Amino acid sequence: SSEKELTSALHGPLKLTTDEVTLKGVSVEKLLCQAVALSNKEQLTAAFAADTRFTNVAADIQVADGKAAFKPLHANLAQVALSGDGNYDLPQKKFDVALKARLSPELEQLDHACRVSKRLTAIDLPVHCAGSVTAEPSKWCRVDAAQILQDMTVNEGLEKLEKMLQRAVDDGG
């Protein structure tokens, strides 16, 4: 008889597949470009759209006890592929989603400071979105630039180690 009772009574799996979804008030491209520009030691100069326009979104959703679990969740932008999982508390109208972003070199089309090097295409960039759907969307998502720089450093270290090991094998020990 109440909204809470109704949402708590929902159970079952759902499959979501949709095209051309707009997330108002959040520019995922700008967040990612800021992190890329930081790794390039540059500043953004372009103006970014206030909204994010996904080319498609797909998710397997399991609903039970007033909660919806998204696993897996995939969303694509023109220059970015996002994948991850998350959850949504229906009565509280709160969500928490952890995504990994794969960048394409075409991200540079948005701003010259968004040049995507081989180092960046080799890692998944962490994007975390959480909050209440009643709150300001611009506060929902963040990109962990420190984690990106750490992942790049680890990846470069592994590449150097692989090259050293390959040389040692090629030289006979």
Coordinates of all heavy atoms in Angstrom, one line a residue, residues 2-72:
S2 N 2.1 1.1 0.3 CA 3.0 2.3 0.2 C 4.1 2.1 -0.8 O 4.4 0.9 -1.2 CB 3.7 2.5 1.6 OG 4.6 1.5 1.9
E3 N 4.8 3.2 -1.1 CA 5.9 3.0 -2.1 C 7.0 2.1 -1.6 O 7.5 1.3 -2.3 CB 6.5 4.4 -2.4 CG 7.6 4.4 -3.4 CD 8.2 5.8 -3.6 OE1 7.7 6.8 -3.1 OE2 9.3 5.8 -4.2
K4 N 7.3 2.2 -0.3 CA 8.3 1.4 0.3 C 7.9 -0.1 0.3 O 8.8 -0.9 -0.1 CB 8.6 1.8 1.7 CG 9.8 1.1 2.4 CD 10.1 1.7 3.7 CE 11.4 1.0 4.3 NZ 11.8 1.5 5.5
E5 N 6.7 -0.4 0.6 CA 6.2 -1.8 0.5 C 6.3 -2.3 -0.9 O 6.7 -3.5 -1.1 CB 4.8 -1.9 1.1 CG 4.7 -1.7 2.6 CD 3.3 -1.7 3.1 OE1 2.4 -1.3 2.3 OE2 3.1 -2.1 4.2
L6 N 5.9 -1.5 -1.8 CA 5.9 -1.9 -3.2 C 7.4 -2.2 -3.7 O 7.6 -3.2 -4.3 CB 5.3 -0.8 -4.1 CG 5.3 -1.1 -5.6 CD1 4.5 -2.3 -6.0 CD2 4.8 0.1 -6.4
T7 N 8.3 -1.3 -3.4 CA 9.7 -1.5 -3.9 C 10.3 -2.6 -3.2 O 11.1 -3.3 -3.7 CB 10.5 -0.2 -3.7 OG1 10.5 0.2 -2.4 CG2 10.0 0.9 -4.7
S8 N 10.0 -2.9 -1.9 CA 10.5 -4.0 -1.1 C 10.0 -5.3 -1.6 O 10.7 -6.3 -1.5 CB 10.2 -3.8 0.3 OG 10.9 -2.7 0.9
A9 N 8.8 -5.3 -2.3 CA 8.2 -6.6 -2.7 C 8.7 -7.0 -4.1 O 8.5 -8.1 -4.6 CB 6.7 -6.4 -2.7
L10 N 9.4 -6.1 -4.8 CA 9.9 -6.4 -6.1 C 11.0 -7.4 -6.1 O 11.9 -7.3 -5.3 CB 10.4 -5.2 -6.8 CG 9.4 -4.1 -7.2 CD1 10.1 -2.8 -7.7 CD2 8.4 -4.6 -8.2
H11 N 10.9 -8.5 -6.9 CA 11.9 -9.5 -7.0 C 12.1 -10.0 -8.4 O 11.1 -10.1 -9.1 CB 11.5 -10.7 -6.1 CG 11.7 -10.5 -4.6 ND1 10.8 -9.8 -3.9 CD2 12.7 -10.8 -3.8 CE1 11.3 -9.7 -2.6 NE2 12.4 -10.4 -2.6
G12 N 13.3 -10.4 -8.7 CA 13.5 -11.0 -10.0 C 14.6 -10.3 -10.8 O 15.1 -9.3 -10.5
P13 N 15.0 -11.0 -11.9 CA 16.0 -10.5 -12.8 C 15.4 -9.6 -13.9 O 14.3 -9.8 -14.3 CB 16.6 -11.7 -13.4 CG 15.4 -12.7 -13.5 CD 14.6 -12.4 -12.2
L14 N 16.2 -8.6 -14.3 CA 15.8 -7.7 -15.4 C 17.0 -7.6 -16.3 O 18.2 -7.6 -15.8 CB 15.5 -6.3 -14.9 CG 14.3 -6.2 -14.0 CD1 14.3 -4.8 -13.4 CD2 13.0 -6.4 -14.8
K15 N 16.8 -7.4 -17.6 CA 17.8 -7.1 -18.5 C 17.5 -5.8 -19.1 O 16.4 -5.5 -19.6 CB 17.9 -8.1 -19.7 CG 18.8 -9.3 -19.4 CD 19.1 -10.0 -20.7 CE 20.1 -11.1 -20.6 NZ 21.3 -10.8 -20.0
L16 N 18.5 -4.9 -19.0 CA 18.3 -3.5 -19.6 C 19.2 -3.3 -20.8 O 20.4 -3.6 -20.7 CB 18.6 -2.5 -18.5 CG 18.8 -1.0 -19.0 CD1 17.4 -0.5 -19.3 CD2 19.5 -0.2 -17.9
T17 N 18.7 -2.9 -21.9 CA 19.5 -2.6 -23.0 C 18.8 -1.4 -23.7 O 17.6 -1.4 -24.0 CB 19.5 -3.7 -24.1 OG1 20.0 -4.9 -23.4 CG2 20.4 -3.3 -25.2
T18 N 19.5 -0.3 -23.8 CA 18.9 0.9 -24.4 C 20.0 1.7 -25.1 O 21.2 1.6 -24.9 CB 18.3 1.8 -23.3 OG1 17.6 2.9 -23.9 CG2 19.3 2.3 -22.3
D19 N 19.6 2.6 -26.0 CA 20.4 3.4 -26.8 C 20.2 4.9 -26.5 O 19.1 5.2 -26.1 CB 20.2 3.2 -28.3 CG 20.6 1.8 -28.8 OD1 21.5 1.2 -28.2 OD2 19.9 1.3 -29.7
E20 N 21.2 5.7 -26.8 CA 21.1 7.1 -26.7 C 20.5 7.6 -25.3 O 19.4 8.3 -25.3 CB 20.3 7.7 -27.8 CG 20.9 7.4 -29.2 CD 20.2 7.9 -30.4 OE1 19.5 8.9 -30.2 OE2 20.3 7.4 -31.5
V21 N 21.2 7.3 -24.3 CA 20.8 7.7 -22.9 C 21.6 9.0 -22.5 O 22.8 9.1 -22.8 CB 21.1 6.6 -21.9 CG1 20.8 7.0 -20.5 CG2 20.4 5.3 -22.2
T22 N 20.9 9.9 -21.9 CA 21.5 11.2 -21.5 C 21.5 11.2 -20.0 O 20.5 11.1 -19.4 CB 20.8 12.4 -22.1 OG1 20.9 12.3 -23.5 CG2 21.5 13.7 -21.6
L23 N 22.7 11.4 -19.4 CA 22.8 11.7 -18.0 C 23.0 13.2 -17.8 O 24.0 13.7 -18.1 CB 24.0 10.9 -17.4 CG 24.3 11.0 -15.9 CD1 23.2 10.6 -15.1 CD2 25.6 10.2 -15.6
K24 N 21.9 13.8 -17.3 CA 21.9 15.3 -17.2 C 22.8 15.7 -16.0 O 22.7 15.1 -14.9 CB 20.5 15.7 -17.0 CG 19.6 15.4 -18.2 CD 19.1 16.7 -18.8 CE 18.2 16.4 -20.0 NZ 18.5 17.1 -21.1
G25 N 23.5 16.8 -16.2 CA 24.2 17.4 -15.1 C 25.6 16.8 -14.8 O 26.2 17.3 -13.8
V26 N 26.0 15.8 -15.5 CA 27.3 15.2 -15.3 C 28.0 15.0 -16.6 O 27.5 14.5 -17.6 CB 27.2 13.8 -14.7 CG1 28.5 13.1 -14.5 CG2 26.4 13.9 -13.3
S27 N 29.3 15.4 -16.7 CA 30.1 15.2 -17.9 C 31.2 14.2 -17.6 O 32.2 14.6 -17.1 CB 30.7 16.6 -18.4 OG 31.5 16.3 -19.6
V28 N 30.9 13.0 -17.9 CA 31.9 11.9 -17.7 C 33.1 12.2 -18.6 O 34.3 12.0 -18.2 CB 31.3 10.5 -18.0 CG1 32.3 9.4 -17.9 CG2 30.2 10.2 -17.0
E29 N 32.9 12.7 -19.8 CA 34.0 13.0 -20.7 C 34.9 14.0 -20.1 O 36.2 13.9 -20.1 CB 33.5 13.5 -22.0 CG 32.8 12.5 -22.9 CD 31.3 12.7 -22.8 OE1 30.8 13.1 -21.7 OE2 30.6 12.3 -23.7
K30 N 34.4 15.0 -19.4 CA 35.2 16.1 -18.8 C 36.0 15.5 -17.7 O 37.2 15.8 -17.5 CB 34.3 17.2 -18.3 CG 35.1 18.3 -17.7 CD 34.3 19.5 -17.4 CE 35.2 20.7 -16.8 NZ 34.3 21.8 -16.4
L31 N 35.3 14.7 -16.8 CA 36.1 14.0 -15.7 C 37.2 13.2 -16.2 O 38.3 13.3 -15.6 CB 35.1 13.1 -14.9 CG 34.0 13.8 -14.1 CD1 33.0 12.8 -13.6 CD2 34.6 14.7 -13.0
L32 N 37.0 12.4 -17.2 CA 38.1 11.6 -17.8 C 39.2 12.5 -18.4 O 40.4 12.2 -18.3 CB 37.5 10.6 -18.7 CG 36.7 9.5 -18.1 CD1 35.9 8.7 -19.1 CD2 37.6 8.6 -17.2
C33 N 38.8 13.5 -19.2 CA 39.7 14.4 -19.8 C 40.6 15.1 -18.8 O 41.8 15.3 -19.0 CB 39.0 15.3 -20.8 SG 38.8 14.7 -22.4
Q34 N 40.0 15.5 -17.7 CA 40.8 16.1 -16.6 C 41.9 15.2 -16.1 O 43.0 15.6 -15.9 CB 39.8 16.6 -15.4 CG 39.0 17.7 -15.8 CD 37.9 18.0 -14.7 OE1 37.4 17.1 -14.0 NE2 37.6 19.3 -14.5
A35 N 41.5 13.9 -15.9 CA 42.5 13.0 -15.5 C 43.6 12.8 -16.5 O 44.8 12.7 -16.2 CB 41.9 11.6 -15.1
V36 N 43.2 12.7 -17.8 CA 44.2 12.5 -18.9 C 45.1 13.7 -19.0 O 46.3 13.6 -19.1 CB 43.5 12.2 -20.2 CG1 44.5 12.2 -21.4 CG2 42.8 10.9 -20.1
A37 N 44.5 14.9 -18.9 CA 45.3 16.1 -19.0 C 46.3 16.2 -17.8 O 47.4 16.6 -18.0 CB 44.3 17.4 -19.0
L38 N 45.9 15.8 -16.7 CA 46.8 15.7 -15.5 C 48.0 14.8 -15.8 O 49.1 15.2 -15.5 CB 46.0 15.2 -14.3 CG 46.8 15.1 -13.0 CD1 47.4 16.5 -12.5 CD2 46.0 14.5 -11.9
S39 N 47.7 13.6 -16.4 CA 48.8 12.7 -16.7 C 49.7 13.3 -17.8 O 50.9 13.0 -17.9 CB 48.3 11.4 -17.1 OG 47.7 11.4 -18.4
N40 N 49.1 14.2 -18.7 CA 49.9 14.8 -19.8 C 50.5 16.1 -19.3 O 51.2 16.8 -20.0 CB 49.0 15.1 -21.0 CG 48.5 13.9 -21.7 OD1 49.2 12.9 -21.6 ND2 47.4 14.0 -22.4
K41 N 50.3 16.5 -18.0 CA 50.7 17.7 -17.4 C 50.3 18.9 -18.2 O 51.1 19.8 -18.5 CB 52.3 17.7 -17.3 CG 52.7 16.6 -16.3 CD 54.3 16.6 -16.2 CE 54.7 15.6 -15.2 NZ 55.1 14.3 -15.7
E42 N 49.0 18.9 -18.6 CA 48.4 20.0 -19.3 C 47.1 20.4 -18.7 O 46.6 19.7 -17.9 CB 48.2 19.6 -20.8 CG 49.5 19.3 -21.5 CD 49.3 18.9 -23.0 OE1 48.3 19.5 -23.6 OE2 50.0 18.1 -23.5
Q43 N 46.5 21.5 -19.2 CA 45.2 22.0 -18.8 C 44.2 21.9 -19.9 O 44.6 22.0 -21.1 CB 45.3 23.5 -18.4 CG 46.2 23.8 -17.2 CD 45.6 23.4 -15.9 OE1 44.4 23.5 -15.7 NE2 46.4 22.8 -15.0
L44 N 43.0 21.6 -19.5 CA 41.9 21.6 -20.6 C 41.6 23.0 -21.0 O 41.7 24.0 -20.3 CB 40.7 21.0 -20.0 CG 40.7 19.5 -19.5 CD1 39.4 19.1 -18.9 CD2 41.1 18.6 -20.7
T45 N 41.3 23.1 -22.3 CA 41.0 24.4 -22.9 C 39.6 24.4 -23.5 O 39.0 25.5 -23.7 CB 42.0 24.9 -23.9 OG1 42.1 23.9 -25.0 CG2 43.4 25.1 -23.3
A46 N 39.1 23.3 -23.8 CA 37.8 23.2 -24.5 C 36.6 23.3 -23.5 O 36.8 23.0 -22.3 CB 37.7 21.9 -25.2
A47 N 35.5 23.7 -24.0 CA 34.2 23.7 -23.2 C 33.6 22.3 -23.4 O 33.5 21.8 -24.6 CB 33.3 24.8 -23.7
F48 N 33.1 21.7 -22.4 CA 32.5 20.4 -22.4 C 31.0 20.5 -22.2 O 30.5 21.4 -21.5 CB 33.1 19.4 -21.4 CG 34.5 19.0 -21.7 CD1 35.6 19.8 -21.4 CD2 34.7 17.7 -22.3 CE1 36.8 19.4 -21.7 CE2 35.9 17.3 -22.6 CZ 37.0 18.1 -22.3
A49 N 30.2 19.6 -22.8 CA 28.8 19.6 -22.6 C 28.5 19.3 -21.2 O 29.3 18.6 -20.5 CB 28.2 18.6 -23.5
A50 N 27.4 19.9 -20.7 CA 27.1 19.7 -19.2 C 26.5 18.3 -19.0 O 26.5 17.8 -17.9 CB 26.0 20.7 -18.8
D51 N 26.1 17.6 -20.0 CA 25.5 16.3 -19.9 C 26.4 15.2 -20.6 O 27.2 15.5 -21.4 CB 24.1 16.3 -20.6 CG 23.2 17.3 -20.0 OD1 23.3 17.7 -18.8 OD2 22.3 17.8 -20.8
T52 N 26.1 14.0 -20.2 CA 26.8 12.9 -20.8 C 25.8 12.1 -21.7 O 24.7 11.8 -21.2 CB 27.4 11.9 -19.7 OG1 28.3 12.6 -18.9 CG2 28.0 10.7 -20.4
R53 N 26.2 11.9 -22.9 CA 25.3 11.3 -23.9 C 25.9 9.9 -24.2 O 26.9 9.8 -25.0 CB 25.1 12.1 -25.2 CG 24.5 13.4 -24.9 CD 24.2 14.2 -26.2 NE 23.8 15.6 -25.9 CZ 22.8 16.0 -25.3 NH1 21.9 15.2 -24.8 NH2 22.5 17.3 -25.1
F54 N 25.3 8.9 -23.6 CA 25.8 7.5 -23.9 C 25.2 7.0 -25.2 O 24.1 7.3 -25.5 CB 25.3 6.6 -22.8 CG 25.9 6.9 -21.4 CD1 25.2 7.6 -20.5 CD2 27.2 6.5 -21.1 CE1 25.8 7.8 -19.2 CE2 27.8 6.7 -19.9 CZ 27.1 7.4 -18.9
T55 N 26.0 6.3 -26.0 CA 25.5 5.7 -27.2 C 24.7 4.5 -26.9 O 23.7 4.2 -27.6 CB 26.7 5.3 -28.1 OG1 27.6 4.4 -27.5 CG2 27.4 6.5 -28.7
N56 N 25.0 3.7 -25.8 CA 24.2 2.6 -25.3 C 24.5 2.3 -23.9 O 25.6 2.6 -23.4 CB 24.3 1.4 -26.2 CG 25.7 0.9 -26.4 OD1 26.4 0.6 -25.4 ND2 26.2 0.8 -27.6
V57 N 23.6 1.7 -23.2 CA 23.7 1.2 -21.9 C 23.1 -0.2 -21.8 O 22.0 -0.4 -22.3 CB 23.0 2.2 -20.8 CG1 23.1 1.6 -19.4 CG2 23.6 3.6 -20.9
A58 N 23.8 -1.1 -21.1 CA 23.2 -2.5 -20.9 C 23.6 -2.9 -19.5 O 24.7 -2.6 -19.0 CB 23.8 -3.4 -21.9
A59 N 22.7 -3.6 -18.9 CA 22.9 -4.2 -17.6 C 22.0 -5.4 -17.3 O 20.9 -5.5 -17.8 CB 22.6 -3.1 -16.5
D60 N 22.6 -6.3 -16.5 CA 21.8 -7.4 -15.9 C 21.5 -6.9 -14.5 O 22.4 -6.6 -13.8 CB 22.6 -8.7 -15.9 CG 22.8 -9.3 -17.3 OD1 22.0 -8.9 -18.2 OD2 23.6 -10.2 -17.5
I61 N 20.2 -6.9 -14.2 CA 19.8 -6.3 -12.9 C 19.1 -7.4 -12.1 O 18.2 -8.1 -12.6 CB 18.9 -5.1 -13.1 CG1 19.6 -4.1 -14.0 CG2 18.5 -4.5 -11.7 CD1 18.6 -3.0 -14.5
Q62 N 19.5 -7.6 -10.8 CA 18.8 -8.5 -9.9 C 18.1 -7.6 -8.9 O 18.8 -6.9 -8.1 CB 19.8 -9.5 -9.3 CG 19.1 -10.5 -8.5 CD 18.1 -11.4 -9.2 OE1 18.4 -11.9 -10.3 NE2 17.0 -11.7 -8.7
V63 N 16.8 -7.7 -8.7 CA 16.0 -7.0 -7.8 C 15.6 -7.9 -6.6 O 15.0 -8.9 -6.9 CB 14.8 -6.3 -8.4 CG1 14.1 -5.4 -7.4 CG2 15.3 -5.4 -9.6
A64 N 15.8 -7.5 -5.4 CA 15.4 -8.2 -4.2 C 15.5 -7.3 -3.0 O 16.4 -6.5 -2.9 CB 16.2 -9.5 -4.0
D65 N 14.5 -7.4 -2.1 CA 14.5 -6.7 -0.8 C 14.7 -5.2 -1.0 O 15.5 -4.6 -0.2 CB 15.6 -7.4 0.1 CG 15.3 -8.8 0.3 OD1 14.2 -9.2 0.5 OD2 16.3 -9.6 0.3
G66 N 14.2 -4.6 -2.0 CA 14.3 -3.2 -2.1 C 15.6 -2.7 -2.7 O 15.9 -1.5 -2.7
K67 N 16.4 -3.6 -3.2 CA 17.7 -3.3 -3.8 C 17.8 -3.8 -5.2 O 17.3 -4.9 -5.5 CB 18.8 -3.8 -2.9 CG 18.7 -3.3 -1.5 CD 20.1 -3.1 -0.9 CE 20.1 -2.7 0.5 NZ 19.2 -1.8 1.1
A68 N 18.5 -3.1 -6.0 CA 18.7 -3.6 -7.4 C 20.3 -3.6 -7.6 O 21.0 -2.7 -7.4 CB 18.2 -2.6 -8.4
A69 N 20.7 -4.8 -7.9 CA 22.2 -5.0 -8.2 C 22.4 -5.1 -9.7 O 21.7 -5.8 -10.4 CB 22.6 -6.3 -7.5
F70 N 23.3 -4.2 -10.2 CA 23.7 -4.1 -11.6 C 25.0 -4.9 -11.8 O 26.0 -4.4 -11.4 CB 23.9 -2.7 -12.0 CG 22.7 -1.8 -11.8 CD1 22.6 -1.1 -10.6 CD2 21.7 -1.7 -12.7 CE1 21.5 -0.3 -10.4 CE2 20.6 -0.8 -12.5 CZ 20.5 -0.1 -11.3
K71 N 24.9 -6.1 -12.4 CA 26.1 -6.8 -12.6 C 25.9 -7.8 -13.7 O 25.1 -8.7 -13.6 CB 26.5 -7.6 -11.3 CG 27.8 -8.3 -11.4 CD 28.2 -8.8 -10.0 CE 29.6 -9.3 -10.1 NZ 30.1 -9.7 -8.8
P72 N 26.6 -7.5 -14.8 CA 27.4 -6.4 -15.2 C 26.7 -5.2 -15.7 O 25.5 -5.3 -16.0 CB 28.3 -7.0 -16.3 CG 27.4 -7.9 -17.0 CD 26.5 -8.5 -15.9

